């Protein structure tokens, strides 16, 4: 307790009582193991906190913070910060050389040492996904080429039949007119000139139909089988990689020793069974006076009413940050799953199937929304557009906007760098008027700390990045039968994105707080869920949407195709998961050696 001083004036007494209450609250909270900077930030004791980047010799060419300074200010800044060209320890330069290049492997150990295990595991997962994507990429490209060649040969055959028929029935006048149009001097050239004329007059939609129909061919079921099995191979490969990295980074037992979140609050004390110390905990009680049947009925009634609210709110006082992140991940992905895949699911399984009976939304048979041509081809175009357009907002925010900001800061001195209104019309805009006090009071000597403070924060980097990548993974798994080029597109997008992330994390944004993690958390369970849904989705795509499946014209046969495909895939997935151990044998042996050394 903090003793009170002697009695003072009313204003001083009020201030003392306020200070006393603040310190008393802090002391009570510290007794609940809530000490640390995150707790002080939560209580608004500090307004901001950030980790400094290491000084680097490549800062001048990559960072754009200094571009809006005058020459004198830059000279003063360089005088305040010693030259770093001769620094022996330059982790950012080493990371920039090895990490931001497309043709080099990711330096996971250096990423872990600079950004922490949580971010390093994300980039390790992306690297594993890229390496494993080469198999379905090559196979899918081969399937697409097979479909394109077969469809083009069929198209040429149909065109040849039309050409020969028209040639036999054509009149002499029509032949002479064609010969004059193409300036053909010999009658043997007529056939080639006529074919050339037909090719020129082909409409764009005809060409698009040839390309779209090339995705749906006789090899589609085999590609769907391969992509479903690839999902299991990828997850097994990642489990082994994760186990190896967790052992090498010594984070296997992190979750059992993870500290409490600053936002966690307990209501009662409970003795720890190991240390015999009293720890705070949050009790979860049943409603008193209700048996199991009554609780079940009450839960069934209230669950429908509270479902939307429970998704928006986290709903529980999670003790550790890992538990909080896992709960947030599940609820966030539930929204993203519905928003990202609803249009594709509608085209694949519902569009045009019930319009002949009820019409669109039951408005009548005159209101229809059927697939003009093939629903499989429309689904392939939809998946292609969504996979390509989804990363655009992030691309604008992470690449285009920083590039425009950098170009603006490198503008000439005569443009919008003056304080008078006669030099440039841009000087009279509203933003400059609002920031007039800030620019006038700007210090000449901008320290390195202030330069880092001016950079934007990354926020929850891994949450947004995992969400984006797994949405791409979902397009790849759920609708693989309709778009064999999805693995190639996902490989290119992810490979480009992680290099951009490396660049912006090293130079354009604040250094994130390093956090320890032993795995990727609930994201692994979501990947397993997407794989499971992918088997079911591809089975129904093959049987009810593809050209090969709809040729049977029997619902019973199509259902047997779905059941046969699912059982075969699930059996093979189980065999693969059983045969491949989750932890490499050398890591298991090393862990046993460490445990025996502790005993001895």
């Amino acid at each position: 307790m903090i003793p009170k001083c002697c009695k003072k004036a009313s204003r001083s007494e009020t201030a003392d009582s306020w200070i006393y209450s603040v310190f008393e609250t802090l002391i009570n909270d510290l007794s609940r193991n809530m000490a640390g900077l995150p707790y002080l930030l939560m209580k608004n004791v500090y307004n901001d906190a950030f980790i400094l980047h290491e000084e680097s010799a490549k800062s001048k060419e990559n960072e754009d913070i200094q571009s809006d300074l005058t020459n004198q200010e830059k000279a003063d800044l360089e005088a305040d910060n010693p030259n770093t060209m001769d620094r022996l320890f330059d982790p950012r330069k080493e990371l920039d050389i090895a990490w931001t290049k497309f043709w080099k492997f990711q330096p996971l150990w250096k990423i872990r040492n600079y950004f922490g295990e949580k971010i390093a595991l994300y980039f390790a997962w992306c690297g594993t996904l890229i390496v494993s994507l080469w198999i379905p990429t090559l196979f899918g490209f081969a399937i697409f080429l097979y479909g394109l060649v077969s469809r083009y040969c069929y198209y040429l055959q149909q065109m040849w039949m039309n050409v020969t028929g028209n040639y036999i029935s054509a009149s002499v006048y029509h032949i002479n007119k064609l010969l004059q149009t193409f300036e053909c001097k010999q009658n043997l050239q007529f056939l080639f000139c006529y074919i050339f004329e037909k090719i020129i007059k082909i409409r764009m939609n005809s060409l698009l139909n040839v390309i779209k129909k090339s995705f749906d061919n006789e090899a589609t079921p085999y590609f769907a089988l391969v992509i479903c099995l690839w999902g299991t191979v990828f997850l097994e490969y990642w489990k082994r990689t994760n186990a190896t990295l967790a052992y090498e980074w010594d984070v296997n037992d992190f979750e059992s020793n993870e500290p409490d979140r600053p936002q966690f609050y307990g209501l009662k004390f409970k003795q720890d069974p190991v240390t015999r110390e009293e720890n705070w905990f949050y009790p979860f009680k049943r409603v008193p006076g209700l048996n199991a049947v009554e609780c079940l009925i009450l839960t069934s009634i209230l669950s429908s009413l509270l479902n939307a609210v429970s998704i928006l709110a986290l709903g529980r006082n999670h003790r550790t940050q890992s538990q909080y992140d896992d709960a947030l991940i599940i609820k966030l992905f539930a929204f993203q799953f519905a928003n990202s895949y609803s249009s594709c699911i509608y085209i694949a399984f519902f569009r045009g199937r019930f319009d002949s009976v009820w019409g669109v939304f039951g408005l009548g048979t005159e209101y229809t929304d059927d697939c003009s041509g093939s629903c499989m081809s429309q689904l392939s175009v939809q998946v292609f557009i969504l996979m390509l357009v989804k990363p655009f907002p992030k691309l604008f925010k992470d690449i285009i906007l920083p590039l425009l900001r950098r170009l603006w800061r490198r503008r000439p001195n005569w443009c919008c760098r003056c304080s008078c209104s006669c030099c440039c019309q841009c000087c009279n805009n509203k933003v400059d008027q609002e920031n007039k006090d800030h620019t006038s009071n700007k210090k000449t000597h901008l320290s390195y700390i202030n330069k880092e403070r001016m950079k934007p924060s990354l926020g929850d980097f891994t949450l947004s990045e995992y969400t984006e990548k797994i949405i791409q993974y979902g397009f790849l798994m759920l609708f693989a039968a309709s778009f064999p080029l999805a693995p190639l597109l996902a490989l290119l997008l992810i490979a480009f994105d992680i290099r951009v992330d490396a660049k912006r994390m090293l130079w354009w944004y604040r250094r994130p707080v390093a956090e320890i993690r032993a795995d990727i958390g609930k994201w692994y369970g979501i990947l397993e869920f997407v794989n499971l849904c992918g088997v079911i989705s591809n089975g129904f795509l093959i049987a009810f949407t593809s050209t090969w499946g709809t040729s049977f014209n029997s619902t019973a046969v199509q259902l047997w195709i779905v059941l046969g495909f699912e059982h075969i895939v699930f059996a093979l997935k189980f065999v693969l998961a059983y045969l491949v151990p989750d932890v490499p044998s050398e890591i298991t042996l090393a862990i046993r050696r460490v445990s025996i050394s502790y005993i001895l």
Side-chain angles (χ1 to χ4, degrees):
M1 300 290 291
I2 301 177
K4 290 185 177 181
C5 299
C6 55
K7 189 173 182 62
K8 299 180 182 180
S10 59
R11 179 176 298 179
S12 300
E13 184 177 0
T14 303
D16 290 343
S17 62
W18 178 80
I19 295 173
Y20 176 81
S21 62
V22 170
F23 274 97
E24 186 178 16
T25 304
L26 289 175
I27 291 173
N28 292 334
D29 290 340
L30 291 176
S31 64
R32 303 180 185 180
N33 296 325
M34 290 185 176
L37 181 61
Y39 175 75
L40 298 177
L41 287 171
M42 185 190 69
K43 289 295 184 180
N44 295 324
V45 177
Y46 296 104
N47 294 327
D48 194 6
F50 55 92
I51 309 298
L52 291 176
H53 275 292
E54 298 289 340
E55 293 186 84
S56 175
K58 301 189 68 174
S59 296
K60 184 177 291 186
E61 61 182 271
N62 289 285
E63 295 177 340
D64 55 351
I65 298 298
Q66 306 180 42
S67 300
D68 57 346
L69 303 180
T70 63
N71 294 331
Q72 182 63 34
E73 290 174 344
K74 292 180 181 179
D76 295 335
L77 177 60
E78 292 179 358
D80 290 343
N81 296 277
N83 190 11
T84 58
M85 294 297 293
D86 299 330
R87 292 174 60 90
L88 297 177
F89 179 69
D90 196 344
R92 279 206 290 174
K93 180 180 178 181
E94 296 177 358
L95 282 171
D96 185 78
I97 293 174
W99 192 16
T100 59
K101 305 299 185 296
F102 287 92
W103 57 88
K104 292 187 177 182
F105 290 100
Q106 297 185 102
L108 294 179
W109 270 90
K110 294 180 180 180
I111 299 173
R112 176 251 183 181
N113 294 336
Y114 196 80
F115 292 107
E117 287 82 2
K118 183 178 180 180
I119 292 178
L121 282 174
Y122 160 72
F123 284 101
W125 178 82
C126 288
T128 305
L129 179 60
I130 291 174
V131 171
S132 62
L133 270 174
W134 280 105
I135 298 176
T137 295
L138 297 176
F139 189 71
F141 189 71
I143 295 295
F144 170 72
L145 287 181
Y146 169 76
L148 186 62
V149 170
S150 61
R151 178 60 58 177
Y152 187 69
C153 292
Y154 175 78
Y155 171 76
L156 289 180
Q157 182 182 3
Q158 295 295 323
M159 188 177 66
W160 177 268
M161 294 175 61
N162 294 332
V163 167
T164 54
N166 291 333
Y167 178 70
I168 294 174
S169 61
S171 62
V172 177
Y173 173 77
H174 184 64
I175 294 175
N176 292 331
K177 185 177 180 181
L178 287 175
L179 289 174
Q180 293 175 3
T181 303
F182 289 95
E183 298 179 358
C184 296
K185 303 301 181 182
Q186 299 178 3
N187 292 334
L188 295 177
Q189 294 178 343
F190 166 72
L191 181 61
F192 299 101
C193 294
Y194 193 76
I195 293 176
F196 184 70
E197 179 189 13
K198 287 292 184 180
I199 294 177
I200 292 178
K201 292 183 177 180
I202 290 178
R203 298 178 181 179
M204 185 59 67
N205 57 355
S206 299
L207 295 176
L208 292 177
N209 287 333
V210 171
I211 297 175
K212 289 190 296 183
K213 291 179 180 179
S214 62
F215 295 118
D216 185 14
N217 52 72
E218 295 81 5
T220 297
Y222 300 101
F223 179 74
L225 175 65
V226 169
I227 204 69
C228 292
L229 297 179
W230 167 83
T232 301
V233 173
F234 164 66
L235 290 185
E236 294 299 321
Y237 181 34
W238 167 245
K239 281 195 292 187
R240 294 171 61 86
T241 304
N242 191 9
T244 303
L245 293 176
Y247 170 76
E248 292 177 350
W249 295 343
D250 196 17
V251 292
N252 286 317
D253 301 328
F254 167 72
E255 292 187 1
S256 60
N257 302 317
E258 186 176 1
D260 297 345
R261 295 172 60 237
Q263 295 82 1
F264 173 76
Y265 60 92
L267 299 179
K268 290 186 177 182
F269 280 107
K270 181 173 67 174
Q271 191 179 47
D272 189 276
V274 178
T275 61
R276 300 298 180 183
E277 296 179 355
E278 290 188 344
N279 293 327
W280 282 93
F281 79 102
Y282 187 81
F284 296 94
K285 294 183 178 180
R286 291 176 52 187
V287 179
L290 297 178
N291 55 27
V293 178
E294 293 173 343
C295 287
L296 179 61
I297 297 175
L298 181 62
T299 304
S300 302
I301 296 174
L302 296 180
S303 61
S304 58
L305 300 176
L306 301 179
N307 184 39
V309 179
S310 65
I311 293 177
L312 294 174
L314 292 179
R316 291 192 63 180
N317 181 25
H318 300 281
R319 189 179 195 99
T320 63
Q321 187 65 36
S322 297
Q323 296 174 356
Y324 176 86
D325 292 341
D326 291 343
L328 180 61
I329 286 168
I330 295 174
K331 295 173 175 61
L332 177 64
F333 186 77
F335 280 109
Q336 293 292 335
F337 188 91
N339 294 334
S340 301
Y341 306 134
S342 57
S343 60
C344 295
I345 293 174
Y346 170 73
I347 294 175
F349 305 117
F350 298 100
R351 187 174 188 178
R353 299 185 183 278
F354 308 104
D355 294 348
S356 60
V357 181
W358 302 296
V360 178
F361 300 113
L363 298 178
T365 56
E366 62 271 13
Y367 299 97
T368 60
D369 183 27
D370 56 345
C371 297
S372 56
S374 172
C375 289
M376 198 73 162
S377 60
Q378 291 190 4
L379 179 61
S380 62
V381 174
Q382 181 76 3
V383 172
F384 172 73
I385 293 175
L386 289 178
M387 290 187 68
L388 202 61
V389 172
K390 277 286 185 180
F392 271 10
K394 181 177 180 295
L395 179 69
F396 176 80
K397 181 176 68 73
D398 296 342
I399 300 178
I400 299 177
L401 194 60
L403 179 61
L404 294 176
R405 189 184 297 117
R406 189 170 186 174
L407 293 175
W408 171 253
R409 285 173 173 168
R410 290 184 175 182
R411 67 193 184 275
N413 292 330
W414 52 266
C415 180
C416 301
R417 288 188 181 274
C418 55
S419 57
C420 59
S421 60
C422 60
C423 296
C424 182
Q425 185 179 359
C426 301
C427 295
N428 293 325
N429 56 29
K430 184 177 179 181
V431 177
D432 287 343
Q433 292 295 333
E434 292 178 354
N435 298 333
K436 184 176 181 181
D437 296 336
H438 174 71
T439 56
S440 61
N441 297 327
K442 189 175 183 179
K443 296 182 179 180
T444 304
H445 300 280
L446 184 63
S447 65
Y448 184 76
I449 296 178
N450 286 331
K451 185 183 73 171
E452 293 294 317
R453 182 181 59 85
M454 292 171 63
K455 294 180 180 179
S457 175
L458 277 172
D460 197 340
F461 172 76
T462 56
L463 180 64
S464 59
E465 294 298 325
Y466 274 124
T467 303
E468 178 191 355
K469 303 301 184 298
I470 293 182
I471 290 297
Q472 296 280 349
Y473 182 85
F475 284 119
L476 172 67
M477 290 299 302
L478 296 176
F479 311 104
S482 65
F483 189 47
L485 294 182
L488 175 61
L489 189 59
L491 188 149
L492 296 176
L493 290 174
I494 296 174
F496 177 77
D497 188 72
I498 62 174
R499 305 303 176 178
V500 173
D501 289 339
K503 197 75 173 180
R504 68 190 184 101
M505 289 178 67
L506 287 173
W507 307 109
W508 302 340
Y509 286 81
R510 288 183 181 180
R511 184 178 181 179
V513 178
E515 298 184 28
I516 303 175
R517 289 294 185 273
D519 48 37
I520 62 175
K522 282 295 180 182
W523 292 116
Y524 184 83
I526 290 176
L527 290 171
E528 289 186 326
F529 171 75
V530 172
N531 285 353
L532 176 64
C533 294
V535 176
I536 301 174
S537 174
N538 283 286
F540 278 94
L541 279 176
I542 293 171
F544 291 94
T545 310
S546 68
T547 304
W548 179 81
T550 53
S551 61
F552 290 98
N553 294 324
S554 175
T555 305
V557 175
Q558 291 173 325
L559 288 176
W560 277 111
I561 292 174
V562 174
L563 292 177
F565 178 83
E566 291 178 355
H567 282 70
I568 293 173
V569 172
F570 281 133
L572 293 176
K573 288 168 73 72
F574 175 79
V575 171
L576 287 174
Y578 179 78
L579 293 178
V580 179
D582 296 343
V583 182
S585 57
E586 59 272 14
I587 300 300
T588 304
L589 183 60
I591 293 174
R592 290 183 59 188
R593 288 173 179 170
V594 172
S595 60
I596 292 175
S597 64
Y598 284 149
I599 296 175
L600 297 178

